[in-house]
């Protein structure tokens, strides 16, 4: 495979992700979610299955608890996250997604599916399936190396 004058693979991945993210945020804004912070989507994914703690969010984002608190306070103020007392220990607050957050996530999931569908319509199912296979392999390697942590940076 000759790569003499080809664009570096990392650049291609970065531009692809950047383009995807810009289009996703445009679609979310059109749906009324025009106040999302840069880390909100990562927090949504972390709390999607079950409520979590500030410590878990900080760890998942790879930032300090103080930094995570700033993100969570913004999400609470914008109606995306609620704090609930931990049964048996009122010092611990569980962070849970609100209906607004779940609606934003549903919109984002629809965008993900549509984006992939549109690529398949333009490039062909087999091309997109091959691309998905490559990306899943990169993800699997990162997970095996402990590097698949969700980070906004």
């Amino acid at each position: 495979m000759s790569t003499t004058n080809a664009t570096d693979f990392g650049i291609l991945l970065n531009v692809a992700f950047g383009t995807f993210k810009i289009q996703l945020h445009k679609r979310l804004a059109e749906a009324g979610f025009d106040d999302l912070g840069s880390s909100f989507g990562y927090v949504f994914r972390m709390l999607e299955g079950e409520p979590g703690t500030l410590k878990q969010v900080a760890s998942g984002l790879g930032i300090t608890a103080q930094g995570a608190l700033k993100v969570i306070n913004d999400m609470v103020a914008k109606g995306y996250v609620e704090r609930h007392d931990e049964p048996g220990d009122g010092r611990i607050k569980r962070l849970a997604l609100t209906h607004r957050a779940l609606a934003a996530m549903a919109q984002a999931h629809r965008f993900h599916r549509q984006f992939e569908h549109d690529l398949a319509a333009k490039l062909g199912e087999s091309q997109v399936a091959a691309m998905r296979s490559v990306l899943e392999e990169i993800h699997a390697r990162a997970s095996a190396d402990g590097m698949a942590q969700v980070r906004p940076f």
Side-chain angles (χ1 to χ4, degrees):
M1 173 184 343
S2 175
T3 58
T4 305
N5 289 318
T7 304
D8 287 337
F9 190 69
I11 299 295
L12 294 172
L13 287 173
N14 188 48
V15 169
F17 176 68
T19 300
F20 176 87
K21 192 172 177 183
I22 288 167
Q23 290 179 17
L24 170 62
H25 282 269
K26 181 180 179 207
R27 178 76 53 82
L28 288 169
E30 290 168 353
F33 305 105
D34 59 351
D35 58 350
L36 297 170
S38 61
S39 298
F40 285 22
Y42 299 101
V43 176
F44 288 168
R45 292 283 180 159
M46 282 185 262
L47 300 177
E48 184 174 21
E50 63 182 285
T53 64
L54 183 66
K55 185 176 179 179
Q56 291 168 327
V57 170
S59 177
L61 291 176
I63 60 177
T64 66
Q66 184 179 8
L69 180 60
K70 185 176 178 180
V71 172
I72 294 301
N73 284 343
D74 190 26
M75 295 180 81
V76 168
K78 292 177 178 175
Y80 293 106
V81 170
E82 297 174 329
R83 291 183 177 99
H84 301 280
D85 288 338
E86 175 73 14
D89 189 348
R91 296 171 297 167
I92 298 174
K93 302 293 183 204
R94 285 280 167 191
L95 306 172
L97 298 178
T98 64
H99 292 295
R100 179 168 170 73
L102 296 173
M105 286 192 69
Q107 183 69 31
H109 288 308
R110 282 191 293 277
F111 175 83
H112 281 250
R113 288 189 302 273
Q114 188 64 50
F115 191 92
E116 190 169 354
H117 173 80
D118 291 349
L119 278 177
K122 181 174 176 84
L123 302 173
E125 293 283 339
S126 62
Q127 289 280 79
V128 174
M131 180 177 66
R132 173 173 272 286
S133 179
V134 168
L135 294 173
E136 286 177 351
E137 175 60 23
I138 292 169
H139 183 267
R141 287 182 185 187
S143 295
D145 292 342
M147 296 172 29
Q149 202 170 21
V150 177
R151 294 180 188 262
F153 315 109

